[in-house]
Amino acid sequence: MTEPIIYELGAPGRCAARLPDLDVPRAELPPAPLLRDDLNLPEVTEGDLMRHYVHLSQMNHGVDVGFYPLGSCTMKYNPKINEDMARLPGLVETHPYQPEETVQGNLRLMYELQEALKAITGFTAVSLQPAAGAHGELAGVLMIRNYHQSRGDTQRTLMLIPDSAHGTNPATTAMAGFEMVELKSDNRGNVDLDDLRAHLSDRVAGMMLTNPNTLGLFDENILEITRLVHEAGGLMYGDGANMNALLGITKPAETGFDVMHLNLHKTFSTPHGGGGPGSGPVGASPALAEFVPGPIVYAEEALIAEDEVDAENGNGNNAADSPSEYHRGTWYSLRMPPQSIGRLKSFYGHFGVMVRAYTYIRMLGAAGLLEVTEAAVLNANYLQVILKEVYPLSYDRTCMHEFVLRGEVEEAPDIRALDISKRLIDYGMHPPTNYFPLIVPEALMIEPTETESKRTLDAFVDAMTKIAEEARTNPELLHEAPHKAPVTRLDEVRAARNLILRWQPDGE
Amino acid sequence: MTFVPHTEAERREMLARIGVSEIEDLFQCIPASHRFPTVELPRPLSELEIVREMQHLADDNLDVGHIPCFLGAGAYHHFVPAIVDHVISRSEFYTAYTPYQAEISQGTLQAIFEYQTMICELTGMAVSNASHYDGATALAEAAIMALSATRGKRNRVVMAPTVHPEYRQVVRTYIQGMGVELVGDEGLGSNAPRTDVEALIEMVDEDTACLMIQTPTFLGEILDLEGVAEAVHAKGAILVVVCNPISLGLLKPPGAFDADIVLGEGQALGNGLNFGGPYLGFFACQEKYVRRMAGRLVGETVDTEGRRGYVLTLSTREQHIRRERATSNICTNQGLNALAAAVYMAGLGRCGLAQVSQLCYHKAHHAAEAISVLDGYHVDLTVPFFHEFVVRCEKPVADINRRLLYDYDLLGGYDLGQTYPELAGHMLLCVTEMNTADEIAQLVEALEEIAR
C-alpha cells in the first residue's frame, strides 16, 4: 500500500479553500524585484485532500489503533475530553499579547496547573515554559549553571550522568557549556556509589539522574546519592520522563532533587501528536526557584474593577477610568522570576497542551493519579514476571512502570531485537523501544502503561511467546518481518546515502 | 475517572502472578520515609463537571471570535479552513509518536516529507527539517548551527534589532553557556523604525559566524535582501533570515537572495492563536549545511520490494546516537502543528496562499493610509510593509488601547514602547484577511475620536 505524494494528485487551477473577495481598494504592490513569480504548492480539491490524509492516517499505528508499549514514552490512552477542552474557542482563540484583564481565565488555568504540578512533585516553583522534555532539561541545566555563577562558584564545569541516561542528557549538558562525566551502573541497575564518590569534587556542578532510570528501576540509594552530591556542593537534576511511576508514590523534591522537568505528553495524557507538540515544565527547589525560565503566572489578592470587560459578549460598556464598583478577588499576571535564566521560547509555553493536562489532572485528582501509577507498575511487573521466562532479563528485581528485556532467543543466534520488534508489527502491536538503554545488549524496553487491560497484556505475552518460538523454527519469518504492514522493511542506509528530502517532479 | 481498566478480580490475579499480596509491595524500593506522601489536589471532577469548569474559565477571557483583532507582533489571526482540524483530529495521527518504526508510521513520515517539500518551495531553499518548537527556538538553533558550520573558529553573532524581541531573548538564553558574543541589537539606530541593513553588514567581521535578520521586520518593514548574502559571504559568514510564511505568498523568498538559513514562525500556516502555543518553527537551509542541521529529517527510500517509502534519516546528527556530540538536544518536533501547516499549504495551494497574502497586504495598506491622514497619528507610508505597520501616536499607546477595548470593542495594536524605549508612543498594528472593510472603518473612526 502506497499513497501518491499530494503534488501528484493535483491539477492546475484547483484549490481546496475559498477566500472572500477583496473589500477594500487595491494598494500599489512593492517593486517587482521584491515579488515572487510563482509558488509551487499543490493544487487539489478538498475531497482529494481529505482522502489523501485519511489514506496516510491508515498507514499509521497510534494508541487508538492498538497496543503501543514504547518504553520511556508513556503511550497511554489520551482521553477525548482533553481534545474538546483544548478546542474551546473561549480558551484558545486568544492572542498571547492581549491585555491581562482579557485573559484571566487562561492565566488562572496556567496558575492552577503550576500549583497542581508543585503538589505532585513537591517543588517550590514551576515554570510551564519549556516546549518539550529536552527543552526542560536545557532549562534545568542552565538554572544549575546560573545558580553556581550567582554564588561566584565558577569552577564547577562538570555534570555527572549515569551510563543508563537518555541521549538528551549529554546533549543538553554540552549545549549549556558543561563537560559530562559518565557514571557506571552497578549490578542491580543503580548508580554505582563508589564511582559516584570517586568523581565528586568542587568542580562538579551537578548530576542528572532519571529515577526510576531507563531500566525502569528505582534507584534504591536515591537518598544517599542526593546527599553525596549536595555535600560536594552540586545540585541534582531530575529527568522526569518516568514520572508515571511516581504519582502519589514519592515526591522527587523530597528525595533531594533540585530541579526536574515533567513531560505533560507522557505522564499527563496529552497526545504525542506523531512527535510533538510536547510540553516540558520544570519544577525547582527553594535554591533554584527564582532561576526558572519565564514568564510564569503569579496570583495575588487585589481590588478588581467590576465590568472590566464583559467577556461573554465582548461588550465592555464602562469606561476604564470610571469603573462602577470594585470587588476583592484573585488577579493573575505573567512576570519574569527575579533571577530567571531567561526566556526559552516565545510567549508562555504550549498552552494548548496545558489545557489537556489540566483537564486530566482535575478529572483524576490525587487518588486517581495514585491509581494511575499503581496500575502502571502492576502492568509492567505482570509482563516482566511472565516474559522473563521467555527472554533474558538483565536486572531481575521488581520494576516500576517499565522494564528492559534482551531481544535474544536461545537456539536462534541470528535473531536480534530488531527482528522481534518487526515481527510484533504483524501481531498488530507497536514494538517496544529498541537498543536503549545502551547498557543492555539487544534492549527491548517495554512500558505497557496503566490504561491497558489484562486482556491486552495477555495478548502481548502470547505474541512475544509465539515470536520466540518462530525464532527457533522459522527465523526467516522474523528476518523478513513485517509482513502485514503497508510496506516491508525500508532501506535506511540508502535513505542516508542518497538523500532525498523533498519531492521533485519526475525527471528533475 | 482514571481510565484504568482493571477489575478487582483481575488486579488480584495479576498480583498473585507477580507473587505479591498487595499493590504496596511493589513499592518497597522507595525509601519508607518518603513513600506515599499526601498530595493536595482539588477533588476529582466528572466529565460533565470539567466541561463546566473549563467553560467557566473560558468565560473569564475575551476571545478574538468576539472582538476584531488588530494585534499581531509574532502571532497572527488567520482563517483556518475546516479541513485542517479534521485532518489533525484523526487519532491515527495525533496518538502516534516519533516515527521510529517506519513500517507502521508511513502516514506521519510521508506527511512530514510533503511538509518539507512545501516549506522548501515556500522559502526557496533546498532542504527543510521536520520543524522546531517555534520561530524563536528555530532562530536559536540557527545561531548554534552557524557557529558549528564555521567550525567553532568564529565566536560572534550579529543580530538585527528588528528581529522579534522575544526571539532575541531566546537566542541569548540558549547561547549563555557557549561563550559567544552577540552584537547588533543594542538599539534601533538613527533610521528607526527602519532597519539599517548596511550598518549590520558593516558589523560582520572575520570573527562573525552569522548575520541574523528578519523580513518583514518586527516593525513590519520589508527589507530588500539584494546583495546582503554576497556581502555576508564575502566575510565568510552565514546569512540567516527570519521571515513570515504568509508574506511569502507575495514576496520573493529569501532563498532567491541566496540566504543560507531561512526560518520563521509557522503558526500563521493553519495553526490557531492558542494563547501563544503550541506553534511550529519552520527551518530550511542550503544543501551544504544539511549535516549540521538540528531536528528530525524525513528521507525517501524503498522497501525490500522496491516500493517508495519514508524514514527518519541522518540520525547520526541526533542526541540518541551522538549524545554529547549531537547537533542539538532536540528530540520531538512539532509533528501535529507541522501536519496542520502542511494541510493548510496544500489546501490553499498555489493560488490560495497568494490570495491570503494579497488580502493581508491590501487591507493593511488600506488601514495604514486611512490612519495616516488622521490628526494625532503619523504613519510613514514610504516604508515598504506587508501586513503590519508602525503608527506614531500623540497620546500614550496604553491609553489608546484601553479606549479601543472598553469604548469601541476593538483589540488594538502592540505597544512598541514596552520593548523599544526609543519607540515609546508607537503602536504596531496588524491587519489580516480576518479584518473586514467594516472593521477597518471602525478602527479608523475610533482612533479619530480617541485623538480628539
Side-chain angles (χ1 to χ4, degrees):
Chain A
M1 187 165 108
T2 54
E3 170 69 11
I5 286 284
I6 187 69
Y7 279 89
E8 296 166 341
L9 294 169
R14 285 187 188 148
C15 184
R18 178 178 290 211
L19 291 152
D21 294 333
L22 185 63
D23 57 358
V24 301
R26 291 179 69 85
E28 192 186 334
L29 289 178
L34 292 178
L35 300 180
R36 80 184 302 152
D37 307 324
D38 188 23
L39 175 54
N40 183 22
L41 290 179
E43 296 175 278
V44 293
T45 63
E46 184 177 322
D48 291 338
L49 193 59
M50 196 66 210
R51 278 196 187 146
H52 174 66
Y53 281 109
V54 169
H55 292 165
L56 289 183
S57 74
Q58 289 166 338
M59 295 158 78
N60 252 17
H61 185 96
V63 176
D64 284 1
V65 177
F67 190 39
Y68 209 132
L70 188 66
S72 194
C73 297
T74 315
M75 303 301 288
K76 63 172 73 178
Y77 175 71
N78 307 127
K80 296 304 152 194
I81 187 67
N82 292 355
E83 297 307 303
D84 286 7
M85 295 303 96
R87 285 172 171 79
L88 279 180
L91 291 178
V92 296
E93 289 186 14
T94 44
H95 191 288
Y97 287 149
Q98 278 183 221
E100 226 162 52
E101 66 264 35
T102 66
V103 287
Q104 284 294 299
N106 285 351
L107 296 179
R108 180 170 165 206
L109 185 151
M110 290 172 65
Y111 180 79
E112 299 289 351
L113 181 58
Q114 289 171 190
E115 292 298 303
L117 297 178
K118 281 154 69 172
I120 292 164
T121 57
F123 286 110
T124 309
V126 164
S127 167
L128 301 172
Q129 217 188 45
H135 211 212
E137 275 183 38
L138 179 60
V141 174
L142 288 174
M143 284 159 62
I144 291 175
R145 180 176 177 275
N146 285 17
Y147 169 84
H148 290 307
Q149 293 205 332
S150 74
R151 296 154 50 94
D153 210 351
T154 52
Q155 84 289 355
R156 293 185 180 271
T157 56
L158 303 179
M159 188 64 76
L160 308 180
I161 301 178
D163 54 10
S164 59
H166 290 118
T168 49
N169 292 178
T172 305
T173 299
M175 277 177 89
F178 285 117
E179 201 181 316
M180 89 158 223
V181 177
E182 192 167 275
L183 298 183
K184 290 205 255 317
S185 300
D186 70 14
N187 58 8
R188 284 184 59 77
N190 297 320
V191 171
D192 185 320
L193 285 178
D194 290 335
D195 201 35
L196 171 63
R197 285 195 194 92
H199 285 99
L200 284 171
S201 73
D202 62 0
R203 289 196 55 219
V204 169
M207 173 170 177
M208 298 181 85
L209 183 65
T210 311
N211 194 30
N213 64 16
T214 59
L215 298 164
L217 302 176
F218 192 91
D219 200 304
E220 296 155 312
N221 306 316
I222 182 64
L223 298 177
E224 180 67 0
I225 292 170
T226 56
R227 191 185 65 78
L228 286 170
V229 171
H230 286 154
E231 215 171 66
L235 294 176
M236 286 300 301
Y237 181 84
D239 179 328
N242 295 340
M243 192 66 204
N244 213 44
L246 300 180
L247 302 170
I249 301 298
T250 192
K251 295 185 184 180
E254 292 178 357
T255 57
F257 285 99
D258 297 288
V259 50
M260 186 172 103
H261 81 259
L262 296 163
N263 297 78
L264 297 187
H265 50 290
K266 295 179 181 174
T267 314
F268 300 104
S269 87
T270 79
H272 290 61
S279 178
V282 282
S285 66
L288 288 178
E290 294 199 338
F291 292 90
V292 297
I296 63 172
V297 181
Y298 291 83
E300 54 222 339
E301 294 306 305
L303 281 178
I304 299 168
E306 297 287 352
D307 296 330
E308 269 270 331
V309 178
D310 184 343
E312 272 169 67
N313 55 17
N315 224 339
N317 290 324
N318 290 9
D321 44 8
S322 59
S324 52
E325 281 175 60
Y326 291 92
H327 71 277
R328 190 158 274 288
T330 309
W331 189 255
Y332 300 93
S333 53
L334 285 157
R335 286 206 298 273
M336 216 60 176
Q339 302 196 69
S340 175
I341 57 161
R343 189 180 269 291
L344 264 177
K345 69 183 295 301
S346 48
F347 312 119
Y348 325 119
H350 285 164
F351 180 74
V353 180
M354 297 173 206
V355 174
R356 292 170 171 92
Y358 180 70
T359 301
Y360 180 75
I361 291 170
R362 286 305 312 273
M363 286 184 74
L364 268 62
L369 292 175
L370 175 61
E371 193 182 332
V372 161
T373 290
E374 287 180 344
V377 173
L378 176 68
N379 280 359
N381 277 286
Y382 177 72
L383 285 182
Q384 179 179 266
V385 81
I386 302 176
L387 286 175
K388 74 180 183 185
E389 305 299 327
V390 186
Y391 296 92
L393 174 69
S394 290
Y395 300 88
D396 190 359
R397 49 182 263 215
T398 302
C399 66
M400 297 296 282
H401 66 307
E402 66 189 0
F403 61 100
V404 181
L405 293 174
R406 296 209 304 274
E408 297 166 353
V409 178
E410 253 182 81
E411 303 157 52
D414 293 344
I415 293 299
R416 305 199 58 209
L418 185 75
D419 301 311
I420 295 165
S421 290
K422 297 301 184 195
R423 184 62 183 150
L424 256 178
I425 291 172
D426 291 332
Y427 287 88
M429 297 174 189
H430 195 284
T433 298
N434 293 174
Y435 301 109
F436 186 82
L438 307 177
I439 56 173
V440 177
E442 299 299 319
L444 289 171
M445 185 195 217
I446 299 164
E447 180 180 10
T449 83
E450 76 282 3
T451 57
E452 298 299 338
S453 64
K454 178 171 176 295
R455 181 193 158 102
T456 303
L457 303 181
D458 288 339
F460 180 68
V461 167
D462 282 350
M464 290 293 281
T465 309
K466 278 187 194 140
I467 290 170
E469 188 53 35
E470 288 166 354
R472 284 185 279 266
T473 57
N474 187 3
E476 281 313 298
L477 198 58
L478 274 67
H479 288 310
E480 287 167 16
H483 304 273
K484 294 182 183 167
V487 289
T488 58
R489 277 195 213 186
L490 290 151
D491 189 344
E492 295 189 6
V493 174
R494 174 182 162 133
R497 282 204 185 132
N498 177 26
L499 275 184
I500 305 175
L501 302 175
R502 54 159 299 179
W503 178 81
Q504 304 269 16
D506 282 341
E508 283 184 30
Chain B
M1 183 133 181
T2 61
F3 311 97
V4 170
H6 305 319
T7 64
E8 185 52 28
E10 285 171 331
R11 202 185 311 265
R12 289 282 145 213
E13 199 182 331
M14 292 166 77
L15 287 169
R17 185 69 180 79
I18 294 166
V20 296
S21 52
E22 297 300 330
I23 197 103
E24 288 76 17
D25 298 337
L26 299 174
F27 297 100
Q28 297 301 316
C29 51
I30 315 277
S33 52
H34 293 73
R35 211 182 295 157
F36 302 120
T38 305
V39 175
E40 299 274 359
L41 287 176
R43 73 169 179 89
L45 300 179
S46 65
E47 189 168 321
L48 172 59
E49 289 168 305
I50 190 73
V51 171
R52 284 190 187 131
E53 160 94 12
M54 299 298 266
Q55 190 56 56
H56 181 71
L57 287 173
D59 291 344
D60 281 345
N61 292 333
L62 176 59
D63 64 80
V64 296
H66 286 98
I67 184 168
C69 172
F70 294 95
L71 195 52
Y76 299 102
H77 188 211
H78 287 290
F79 180 68
V80 180
I83 190 171
V84 173
D85 198 47
H86 282 271
V87 170
I88 67 169
S89 297
R90 296 279 308 182
S91 66
E92 299 91 333
F93 283 127
Y94 79 75
T95 70
Y97 203 14
T98 306
Y100 293 120
Q101 298 290 342
E103 297 84 355
I104 45 170
S105 309
Q106 286 298 297
T108 294
L109 287 162
Q110 184 172 333
I112 296 173
F113 183 78
E114 293 177 356
Y115 162 87
Q116 290 174 180
T117 305
M118 290 186 265
I119 290 295
C120 288
E121 291 291 348
L122 194 63
T123 56
M125 301 299 286
V127 181
S128 158
N129 71 9
S131 72
H132 284 274
Y133 303 136
D134 64 4
T137 61
L139 182 64
E141 295 278 8
I144 293 168
M145 182 171 150
L147 289 160
S148 123
T150 50
R151 291 180 189 79
K153 287 179 185 158
R154 292 170 178 243
N155 249 344
R156 195 160 176 266
V157 170
V158 180
M159 182 160 62
T162 50
V163 169
H164 194 299
E166 294 196 6
Y167 294 21
R168 292 187 282 116
Q169 291 171 18
V170 171
V171 172
R172 287 197 158 77
T173 305
Y174 265 62
I175 65 171
Q176 60 187 270
M178 298 180 184
V180 171
E181 186 191 7
L182 210 159
V183 296
D185 70 335
E186 299 80 6
L188 284 171
S190 52
N191 285 3
R194 301 197 69 160
T195 302
D196 191 344
V197 179
E198 290 303 317
L200 289 163
I201 291 172
E202 283 296 306
M203 298 180 79
V204 175
D205 63 14
E206 306 300 323
D207 191 38
T208 302
C210 62
L211 170 64
M212 309 208 290
I213 55 177
Q214 178 174 333
T215 180
T217 69
F218 182 70
L219 305 176
E221 182 189 3
I222 298 169
L223 301 182
D224 186 354
L225 297 180
E226 190 62 47
V228 176
E230 204 181 358
V232 170
H233 294 161
K235 299 273 177 62
I238 282 173
L239 177 63
V240 178
V241 180
V242 182
C243 61
N244 176 324
I246 299 293
S247 77
L248 297 181
L250 178 67
L251 302 177
K252 187 178 278 190
F257 294 102
D258 219 12
D260 299 285
I261 300 174
V262 179
L263 60 92
E265 177 52 68
Q267 172 265 329
L269 300 170
N271 284 266
L273 286 169
N274 278 321
F275 197 48
Y279 295 168
L280 70 147
F282 65 89
F283 190 106
C285 69
Q286 290 189 9
E287 191 142 23
K288 62 182 167 184
Y289 297 118
V290 64
R291 279 162 211 281
R292 300 196 178 274
M293 208 176 199
R296 300 251 138 99
L297 279 169
V298 173
E300 184 186 309
T301 186
V302 292
D303 73 0
T304 55
E305 293 175 22
R307 288 174 296 197
R308 181 165 74 182
Y310 306 91
V311 292
L312 290 175
T313 194
L314 296 187
S315 54
T316 48
R317 300 163 299 125
E318 293 187 65
Q319 49 75 28
H320 61 285
I321 307 285
R322 185 155 286 192
R323 298 176 78 85
E324 73 275 16
R325 290 181 304 281
T327 49
S328 166
N329 75 343
I330 194 167
C331 311
T332 52
N333 53 312
Q334 300 287 102
L336 208 63
N337 303 94
L339 178 62
V343 181
Y344 179 85
M345 286 187 281
L348 287 170
R350 185 188 294 266
C351 304
L353 197 69
Q355 199 188 345
V356 173
S357 198
Q358 297 230 5
L359 285 169
C360 291
Y361 182 88
H362 293 300
K363 283 168 181 270
H365 282 73
H366 175 66
E369 281 160 30
I371 293 166
S372 73
V373 299
L374 298 179
D375 287 336
Y377 305 93
H378 306 268
V379 182
D380 183 353
L381 293 173
T382 66
V383 178
F385 68 96
F386 174 58
H387 70 351
E388 284 181 283
F389 54 95
V390 175
V391 181
R392 181 160 65 81
C393 310
E394 289 176 9
K395 288 192 172 175
V397 174
D399 293 353
I400 295 171
N401 275 335
R402 285 187 75 78
R403 291 283 310 276
L404 286 173
L405 179 62
Y406 291 109
D407 297 346
Y408 299 93
D409 297 330
L410 296 169
L411 209 46
Y414 179 86
D415 184 350
L416 288 165
Q418 296 171 74
T419 34
Y420 297 97
E422 59 268 60
L423 292 184
H426 291 66
M427 176 190 277
L428 183 70
L429 282 171
C430 177
V431 185
T432 72
E433 81 281 6
M434 300 301 279
N435 301 111
T436 61
D438 185 47
E439 289 177 7
I440 295 168
Q442 286 175 43
L443 173 69
V444 173
E445 198 183 317
L447 288 174
E448 186 177 18
E449 287 181 18
I450 291 168
R452 278 191 204 133

